[in-house]
Amino acid sequence: MAQQYWVGDFFVDVSRNQITKKEQAQTIAPKALSVLTYLAKNQGKVVSQDELLDAVWQGTIVSPNTLQRSIAQLRKVLGDDGKEQVYIKTHAKKGYSLECNVQWQAGKLQVSSANHSQSEKGLPNAQNDNKKATKPRAVATIFILFLITITAVGYHFWTNSQTPTLTISQIRALTATDNKESSGIYSHDGQFIIFHRFSEQACINNIWAKNIKTQQEFQLTKDLGVYSSHSLSPDGKKLTFISMGDCEEPVLQKKCYKLVSLDFNEALKGPLSPTVLMECKSSEIRNPIWLSNDNIALMHKSADSWKLVNYSVSNNSSEVIYEVENGSVTDYDFSVKKGLIALMSVHQDGQYYIEMLKPNGDVISSNRVQYPEQIGKFRYIYPNFSSLERQLIFSTGKRLFTISTDGKVQSISLPLDQPIGSPKVHPSGGKMLAIKGYYDSDVISVPIADYATLNLDRDSLKERVMHRSNVSEDNAKFQPGGEHIAFTSVRSGERQVWLSDGNSAWQLSQFPLDTYIFSIEWAQDGQSILVNADKELVQLFLDGTERKFALPHSVDKLFQWDSENQTALSLIWLNGAYRLAEIDLPKPSNSVVYDKSAVWAQKSASGSLIYTDLLGRFWQPGPVEDTLISELNGQGSEKRFVITGETIIGINDDLQLWSYSLDNAYFEVVGNAPSNIDFLTDTDGDQLLMSIQIASKKEVVELTFTH
């Protein structure tokens, strides 16, 4: 397929999904561009809807509305209002035609159709024109095109050769308490830092401000709650954030989300209760950022996909800024100084893109992220604007990177002993805030038989800890037919897979720095482990060798592994949505995909699939529709569940451990779970493995950098 061509004064670059006029590039959906290209190849001819659908959406069943949306998008980009239909003409009950000159980058100019010949426009027939008059115009056109090409190539070379870098020269702590701080930002004048502070002892979360010069601290909020990252309005007077809590009357989810605001200057005088601007009971919102003193951008989740919306405070209304067809927005940042939105997204092809937008949603550029070897190809990137012209900055944990607006990632030399979050740059540059700290969790083993009589307070749990360390340990799994327990740990400085025989522990994996491991599963023969590392699946053998499965999609959660049939029960990202799937590892195209998402899922010994939804309800797939296990209503939680034989063991929101038999529908509460439990991870029928939180300490730090 041709990659570049002209439609009138518009330059079309298929490889970059862009249409450019007068150096103003707009990015459109690949399918819409394919529609334009097909019409261009049949310029002047009427192409039926069926032909366009077959050509562009090969093998995919879509409605004519999908094609109509693409046509509408093309007309908007081309400045065609659909009434005069200068570029794309609708032929009632027949189809569409492209009514404009088309010039292919590597070919000859195609003459427009008879309906738009020069003679019909009141001009002389082209064949009778004076050749001396047309030749200079042709030479001038070629010369202009040559200059445009040279300028574009030169600019591209200059931007690549002049890519600036950041060097970190100093890191210093700005807070020093036993609490957990997060989401640090500067005030616009750089006088204050604003951050969350969660007290483990009091179990209270509030937003605080600190005067950097005087070191005086101010508690801004007074209501107990869970808050998101926050943002100051351009005038510096208002603070906005998301407050999350249990829904009084859950509809589709347990949690409700409120967009709230706070008068920053008044809160400095004393803690305030935030004002609710908007509440979501059936969908999720996050990451609010002020665009103007009356408009707040935020991410909104419907079904499994996120889109970027603009909320008007005065009108109490919202409109979509940007959404990805069959894809999802993953993160964004806004620069008041530049007046631009930097947005990360995953598209239908499963690839990750960085897009630059104007606040009204106009796309300036869209480029695929070029992942370096140090970062997994499915790993999300959460960048923030830096002080550099075309560079954003992000963290993968112990390393910092910059990403350019054309998708190129470059490492900043800064190995850390503890992970940090993506930095927020000081208004005047030269410094940036980040969150640095550690999380300490341990693995414990608890007998099921006498569980109800056990003392599971914090002090007693210390006796049940397996190989105590002062870092994060999780995902413990019993070895089938063996004496070992596999678990993940950061005790070597990086998260790796470890083995324990009860007396000693040793590291099995050698994953690169900052590899994120979601979960692990033993093979039935106990000789290898399947690891969900950076959203990819790796089989790790006990001799240290490994096998990576080349899958076309990311694996966000690994629930279970049937090593004999080589299938992995997982949550995958497929065609713009999260889907529960049984992945056929040797032949992914043969995978069984369920038309549903899942929070957690397991299979019983007989092969019965059990999964939970956002409301914590338990379901079993049926021949026609899924069956709700009503006896377990209200028993699901984020603590997960495990299955031994035909018995489900789980923990509810009241921290009660319970069991349920699939054979006879018998339910019972076994006892109370530890108050500091993170997750229930495995059972062998006699013992339960759990991960418990020991401590969590995070602090706001400031990084000084030079260009």
Side-chain angles (χ1 to χ4, degrees):
M1 183 178 72
Q3 293 295 300
Q4 296 176 329
Y5 58 95
W6 292 82
V7 175
D9 295 332
F10 290 89
F11 179 66
V12 182
D13 190 340
V14 178
S15 64
R16 300 177 67 87
N17 296 330
Q18 289 182 343
I19 298 179
T20 304
K21 183 179 182 181
K22 295 181 179 179
E23 299 183 0
Q24 293 295 318
Q26 297 186 64
T27 302
I28 63 173
K31 292 298 185 185
L33 202 59
S34 296
V35 170
L36 179 62
T37 302
Y38 194 83
L39 290 173
K41 293 170 72 173
N42 294 275
Q43 191 272 340
K45 300 178 182 178
V46 178
V47 181
S48 69
Q49 287 192 7
D50 290 342
E51 184 178 347
L52 279 168
L53 290 170
D54 290 341
V56 177
W57 286 272
Q58 299 175 5
T60 303
I61 300 176
V62 295
S63 68
N65 289 338
T66 303
L67 173 60
Q68 291 165 9
R69 285 195 296 269
S70 294
I71 294 292
Q73 185 179 8
L74 290 170
R75 283 173 169 160
K76 181 179 179 181
V77 172
L78 297 171
D80 195 342
D81 62 9
K83 295 180 180 180
E84 295 183 5
Q85 298 185 354
V86 175
Y87 292 91
I88 299 176
K89 184 176 182 179
T90 300
H91 301 267
K93 298 182 180 181
K94 292 183 180 180
Y96 303 95
S97 64
L98 183 63
E99 301 292 320
C100 189
N101 289 341
V102 175
Q103 181 177 340
W104 302 94
Q105 188 73 351
K108 297 180 179 180
L109 180 68
Q110 295 186 1
V111 181
S112 60
S113 63
N115 292 333
H116 284 268
S117 65
Q118 290 178 320
S119 59
E120 285 187 335
K121 295 179 182 179
L123 298 176
N125 188 285
Q127 293 180 351
N128 297 324
D129 281 347
N130 189 322
K131 293 184 180 181
K132 292 183 180 180
T134 59
K135 186 174 181 179
R137 287 199 297 269
V139 172
T141 300
I142 294 173
F143 180 70
I144 292 171
L145 291 176
F146 174 76
L147 286 179
I148 292 173
T149 303
I150 291 298
T151 302
V153 171
Y155 177 77
H156 180 71
F157 174 79
W158 182 86
T159 56
N160 288 334
S161 61
Q162 300 295 322
T163 301
T165 59
L166 292 176
T167 302
I168 306 299
S169 59
Q170 181 184 357
I171 302 177
R172 70 183 183 109
L174 295 185
T175 58
T177 68
D178 291 327
N179 301 304
K180 181 169 65 175
E181 277 110 16
S182 61
S183 304
I185 63 170
Y186 290 102
S187 60
H188 293 329
D189 58 8
Q191 182 180 354
F192 293 91
I193 59 170
I194 306 166
F195 56 92
H196 292 292
R197 172 173 287 164
F198 179 76
S199 170
E200 295 280 359
Q201 222 171 15
C203 198
I204 293 176
N205 184 68
N206 276 300
I207 299 179
W208 290 71
K210 184 171 186 174
N211 187 305
I212 300 176
K213 184 176 181 179
T214 67
Q215 298 295 297
Q216 185 178 3
E217 293 188 343
F218 305 85
Q219 183 179 326
L220 304 181
T221 59
K222 65 178 181 180
D223 289 347
L224 174 68
V226 179
Y227 302 118
S228 73
S229 58
H230 37 259
S231 169
L232 274 172
S233 56
D235 60 12
K237 296 180 179 180
K238 300 175 186 175
L239 194 67
T240 187
F241 46 94
I242 306 294
S243 175
M244 182 178 68
D246 292 333
C247 295
E248 294 181 3
E249 297 180 1
V251 180
L252 298 175
Q253 57 196 21
K254 282 188 174 183
K255 301 294 183 181
C256 285
Y257 300 83
K258 297 177 181 178
L259 177 67
V260 300
S261 69
L262 200 68
D263 187 310
F264 178 61
N265 293 324
E266 288 299 315
L268 288 174
K269 302 174 184 177
L272 299 176
S273 298
T275 301
V276 177
L277 301 176
M278 175 180 65
E279 183 174 7
C280 294
K281 298 180 179 180
S282 301
S283 58
E284 187 176 345
I285 53 177
R286 73 180 187 201
N287 197 16
I289 301 178
W290 289 91
L291 298 176
S292 67
N293 292 328
D294 187 57
N295 292 279
I296 303 172
L298 66 155
M299 292 173 62
H300 176 242
K301 183 181 181 182
S302 55
D304 287 317
S305 298
W306 291 88
K307 57 188 174 185
L308 187 64
V309 302
N310 177 12
Y311 172 76
S312 170
V313 178
S314 59
N315 296 330
N316 189 29
S317 62
S318 64
E319 60 180 0
V320 176
I321 296 176
Y322 187 81
E323 62 182 325
V324 184
E325 183 179 1
N326 295 325
S328 181
V329 173
T330 60
D331 190 45
Y332 80 103
D333 192 25
F334 174 66
S335 169
V336 176
K337 184 181 295 185
K338 295 180 173 65
L340 294 175
I341 295 171
L343 182 140
M344 306 300 298
S345 63
V346 55
H347 288 204
Q348 184 177 9
D349 58 6
Q351 302 299 325
Y352 298 83
Y353 289 78
I354 178 170
E355 277 123 348
M356 302 303 296
L357 317 174
K358 294 180 180 179
N360 64 1
D362 289 346
V363 180
I364 298 173
S365 65
S366 176
N367 292 287
R368 180 173 163 183
V369 177
Q370 302 172 37
Y371 280 86
E373 292 184 358
Q374 306 102 303
I375 305 177
K377 66 178 181 179
F378 293 124
R379 184 156 184 171
Y380 285 166
I381 290 176
Y382 303 98
N384 294 314
F385 277 98
S386 73
S387 56
L388 301 177
E389 186 62 29
R390 292 176 297 276
Q391 303 285 319
L392 289 90
I393 189 168
F394 68 94
S395 167
T396 57
K398 293 185 179 181
R399 293 175 301 176
L400 291 174
F401 294 86
T402 57
I403 178 171
S404 62
T405 56
D406 60 358
K408 294 181 179 178
V409 176
Q410 185 172 347
S411 176
I412 299 174
S413 180
L414 182 69
L416 297 168
D417 60 335
Q418 294 175 353
I420 68 169
S422 290
K424 293 283 189 178
V425 176
H426 191 280
S428 61
K431 299 177 181 179
M432 47 192 170
L433 291 182
I435 304 298
K436 178 175 176 285
Y438 67 89
Y439 187 81
D440 182 2
S441 62
D442 284 335
V443 172
I444 63 171
S445 179
V446 183
I448 298 176
D450 54 349
Y451 187 92
T453 63
L454 296 177
N455 184 359
L456 297 178
D457 60 30
R458 284 180 177 259
D459 290 333
S460 300
L461 288 175
K462 294 177 182 178
E463 302 174 2
R464 302 186 179 278
V465 170
M466 179 183 68
H467 306 300
R468 166 72 185 140
S469 74
N470 61 358
V471 292
S472 172
E473 294 178 331
D474 196 7
N475 296 312
K477 303 284 182 177
F478 288 109
Q479 180 187 27
E483 301 297 325
H484 294 160
I485 292 177
F487 62 101
T488 59
S489 176
V490 193
R491 60 176 62 196
S492 64
E494 304 160 20
R495 184 165 295 279
Q496 301 289 349
V497 178
W498 284 67
L499 293 178
S500 169
D501 60 5
N503 296 314
S504 60
W506 59 97
Q507 183 178 321
L508 180 62
S509 66
Q510 299 293 332
F511 290 119
L513 181 67
D514 284 345
T515 297
Y516 177 75
I517 300 175
F518 177 81
S519 60
I520 58 177
E521 293 290 329
W522 280 98
Q524 277 92 326
D525 62 6
Q527 298 304 303
S528 63
I529 299 169
L530 190 64
V531 185
N532 184 194
D534 281 342
K535 300 188 179 184
E536 297 184 85
L537 296 182
V538 180
Q539 186 176 1
L540 197 62
F541 296 90
L542 296 188
D543 62 2
T545 58
E546 63 179 50
R547 172 192 180 191
K548 180 178 287 189
F549 294 96
L551 303 178
H553 42 65
S554 66
V555 179
D556 285 66
K557 294 181 182 179
L558 170 64
F559 300 126
Q560 216 166 23
W561 180 30
D562 182 348
S563 59
E564 292 183 357
N565 295 310
Q566 280 293 70
T567 59
L569 184 62
S570 309
L571 187 71
I572 64 174
W573 177 261
L574 182 66
N575 295 331
Y578 288 112
R579 289 290 177 261
L580 183 60
E582 291 182 84
I583 304 174
D584 187 327
L585 296 176
K587 298 180 180 179
S589 59
N590 294 337
S591 300
V592 177
V593 179
Y594 302 91
D595 189 24
K596 58 182 67 67
S597 183
V599 174
W600 194 251
Q602 295 278 283
K603 277 192 171 185
S604 69
S606 64
S608 295
L609 174 61
I610 309 295
Y611 70 92
T612 53
D613 62 14
L614 288 173
L615 285 173
R617 298 176 299 185
F618 286 76
W619 295 85
Q620 282 184 282
V624 178
E625 61 182 10
D626 294 355
T627 303
L628 177 67
I629 305 177
S630 57
E631 295 87 351
L632 295 181
N633 283 352
Q635 300 303 322
S637 76
E638 61 182 12
K639 308 301 182 185
R640 305 178 186 173
F641 65 90
V642 295
I643 297 181
T644 174
E646 299 300 312
T647 300
I648 307 173
I649 300 176
I651 296 173
N652 59 30
D653 286 330
D654 294 326
L655 294 181
Q656 293 175 318
L657 183 78
W658 53 262
S659 69
Y660 175 79
S661 172
L662 291 169
D663 289 332
N664 56 25
Y666 177 71
F667 172 84
E668 69 170 335
V669 174
V670 179
N672 293 323
S675 60
N676 57 336
I677 184 172
D678 274 341
F679 299 109
L680 186 62
T681 61
D682 199 15
T683 180
D684 61 358
D686 296 323
Q687 298 278 327
L688 289 171
L689 292 177
M690 307 176 184
S691 62
I692 58 172
Q693 178 183 330
I694 303 300
S696 177
K697 187 178 187 305
K698 294 184 178 181
E699 59 188 1
V700 183
V701 296
E702 187 173 62
L703 291 74
T704 303
F705 63 90
T706 56
H707 293 176

